[in-house]
Amino acid sequence: MHEKCGVVGISTADRDVARPLYYSLYALQHRGQESAGIVTHDGFQQYEHVEMGLVGDVFDESDLDSLNGSNGIGHVRYPTSGSVNNCCAQPFSVSFKSGSLGLAHNGNLINTGEIREELAALGHAFTSDGDTEVIAHDLARNLLEEDLVRAVKRTMSRIHGSYSLTITHDETVLGVRDPQGNRPLCIGELDDGYVLASESAAIDTLDGDLVRDVRPGELVVLHDDGSGFDTYQLVETEQTAHCFFEHVYFARPDSVIDDELVYEVRRDLGGALWEESGIETDVVMPVPDSGRAFASGYADAAPDGVDFAEGLMKNRYVGRTFIMPTQDERERAVRLKLNPIKSTVEGKTVTVIDDSIVRGTTSSQLVELLYEAGAEEVHVRIGAPPIVAPCYMGIDMASRDELIAADRSVEEIRDEIQADSLSYLSIEAIADALGTSDSDLCLGCVTGEYPYDIEGEQTDREVTRPAVGHSSADD
Ligand code: 5GP
Ligand code: MG
């Protein structure tokens, strides 16, 4: 339901970057399974290979061999609901008068329509309805008139919404994070270069060191020869809008995002869940894999008599239940995916812990499964608040009417999933665990109030939208 994509960019002294990009995309595969792509530049020309499919299927030896150059970017894309199509696979690349551009985007713009209309009126032809192409055309246009840094600044003053970008402009690799820092992006150091990536796990995979997060509103330009990077704070921000769901579900637990190790945040959230609504049962078990860190934090906070155990096994070859188009298929997929371990469950009172409830499919199936396996009581604890509203920072959106919590109380949901008890985590606990104020987080999906100016929805802050229009963009 939320926008997840993975982006990466690498500059090295003189080593081909195709392979390190490929390994990074493997490390970011959880952020998108629909398509994968790499764009490189060798100082003379741009190379690209972008296809539908998983990273391991998209590239073979000869594809990687043909991606020349020591500078490049990569992208993995999350499946959109319904039809799988080729239009939006990334990186998006264009060649124009003053050079070549490649763009990889994680996020979602909310004013694409206006900019697209304006650029179309100026003669730009669009091949997709994606917002990444709009950013590429706007930037290409600005680059005809201005240097790289000013051109990026001008584009940032026009686009509104959520974006972490890695970009190639000829052989120069750059990274940009939107002024509210909605999606993650970090900088890493390699032996012979630098890397920009959605998550630090990609940097670890390359044996690199995390330098720091890219700051909201910051542009990072990697040196073409891998010797360093320059940074420009192009937009000053007073308030951020970090997506809390990155820490709850999207990101790998072994990544550090905005200075917090995701695994520890999840364990803290699990501990808070015990403090807020702990119940003593014979056993505490996670819904694998997303509930694991929460359940271990919860069980650690509970008294000694409460055992932590694996009570559910996951078939790792079953795809994400979300891709199943119909409810019936989704229910079947849950049964294929999860099977109880009888000895943990039979004759026991159990607490089962997951990170979130979206449609409610997983939890209803689970509760039924655990009763069938002989559980005496099934209590459900969730490491996030109820998801009551859609995510507009995304494209694979569950609509309001699909969200089980959109129009139901917690008691009504408990009744629907047939659990003995059900509790969610409070919003305050989320802000606490992240060591930040809730006003610096995007909590749209759990409050229905967004840090952006979205038509038909409420906003939780003073939204100052940048003026759209080529002439009014200030430098
Ligand atoms: P539900 O079955 O209630 O529709 O979804 C809840 C389950 O989906 C949880 O186990 C959670 O880990 C997972 N989940 C939460 N958000 C997302 C998402 O955006 N995409 C995918 N694929 N799974 C999600
Ligand atoms: Mg899950």
Side-chain angles (χ1 to χ4, degrees), residues 110-404:
I110 60 169
N111 68 336
T112 319
E114 309 163 33
I115 305 174
R116 175 190 297 273
E117 268 172 38
E118 201 188 298
L119 287 169
L122 290 166
H124 288 255
F126 291 94
T127 58
S128 76
D129 52 13
D131 49 6
T132 309
E133 189 178 1
V134 172
I135 304 177
H137 279 271
D138 190 73
L139 187 57
R141 184 173 180 79
N142 294 337
L143 280 164
L144 294 175
E145 293 166 18
E146 307 190 279
D147 66 32
L148 184 61
V149 175
R150 282 165 177 272
V152 171
K153 183 172 181 183
R154 188 183 266 198
T155 293
M156 285 175 81
S157 75
R158 288 161 55 79
I159 59 179
H160 187 59
S162 125
Y163 53 92
S164 279
L165 302 165
T166 53
I167 301 174
T168 48
H169 175 228
D170 292 333
E171 59 190 324
T172 304
V173 172
L174 42 146
V176 183
R177 196 170 176 199
D178 71 65
Q180 288 163 305
N182 185 249
R183 294 291 149 200
L185 190 66
C186 60
I187 312 171
E189 184 174 359
L190 307 175
D191 285 345
D192 60 346
Y194 284 86
V195 50
L196 293 156
S198 293
E199 291 185 34
S200 63
I203 299 168
D204 298 337
T205 304
L206 302 178
D207 277 333
D209 296 311
L210 173 64
V211 175
R212 64 171 173 84
D213 296 288
V214 176
R215 298 187 183 100
E218 186 179 44
L219 162 67
V220 178
V221 182
L222 304 186
H223 297 172
D224 301 346
D225 61 0
S227 62
F229 59 86
D230 299 314
T231 73
Y232 308 85
Q233 188 66 45
L234 295 186
V235 182
E236 290 295 338
T237 19
E238 274 152 37
Q239 237 180 334
T240 58
H242 298 311
C243 168
F244 80 95
F245 225 72
E246 287 281 351
H247 285 92
V248 165
Y249 172 78
F250 294 161
R252 284 170 55 142
D254 52 338
S255 284
V256 175
I257 291 184
D258 292 321
D259 276 335
E260 303 282 346
L261 179 62
V262 173
Y263 183 74
E264 290 305 335
V265 170
R266 287 183 192 166
R267 278 187 35 90
D268 288 352
L269 291 172
L273 194 55
W274 169 266
E275 299 302 330
E276 288 186 352
S277 62
I279 177 164
E280 287 195 43
T281 55
D282 298 328
V283 63
V284 174
M285 64 176 69
V287 178
D289 297 304
S290 54
R292 228 172 233 140
F294 295 89
S296 94
Y298 180 97
D300 270 3
D304 283 345
V306 177
D307 275 344
F308 173 86
E310 297 282 347
L312 293 160
M313 266 309 113
K314 180 171 169 179
N315 178 339
R316 71 183 67 198
Y317 302 100
V318 177
R320 307 224 153 202
T321 49
F322 264 61
I323 309 172
M324 312 292 154
T326 69
Q327 186 60 22
D328 189 56
E329 282 176 279
R330 272 196 290 271
E331 283 169 16
R332 186 165 310 282
V334 174
R335 291 300 189 121
L336 271 175
K337 195 158 151 182
L338 296 169
N339 200 35
I341 295 172
K342 259 206 159 157
S343 62
T344 307
V345 176
E346 203 165 20
K348 302 215 173 113
T349 57
V350 307
T351 304
V352 58
I353 304 202
D354 204 356
D355 64 291
S356 60
I357 297 180
V358 182
R359 295 182 176 85
T361 317
T362 309
S363 358
S364 341
Q365 294 289 312
L366 266 179
V367 172
E368 206 181 316
L369 219 66
L370 292 170
Y371 279 125
E372 280 169 21
E376 302 222 317
E377 290 172 20
V378 179
H379 301 270
V380 177
R381 294 293 178 272
I382 301 295
I387 295 178
V388 298
C391 174
Y392 289 93
M393 298 304 104
I395 31 132
D396 187 38
M397 222 186 305
S399 58
R400 250 197 187 78
D401 50 299
E402 291 176 299
L403 298 170
I404 194 170

Side-chain angles (χ1 to χ4, degrees), residues 3-9 21 24-33 35-37 55 73-78 90-91 103-107 164-166 183-185 196-199 202 246:
E3 165 77 347
K4 293 196 302 179
C5 282
V7 300
V8 60
L21 285 171
S24 315
L25 292 182
Y26 247 114
L28 298 174
Q29 182 77 83
H30 63 289
R31 298 184 69 87
Q33 299 93 44
S35 69
V55 176
I73 58 171
H75 187 265
V76 285
R77 180 181 170 84
Y78 190 66
Q90 294 186 28
L103 243 108
H105 176 201
N106 172 206
S164 279
L165 302 165
T166 53
R183 294 291 149 200
L185 190 66
L196 293 156
S198 293
E199 291 185 34
E246 287 281 351

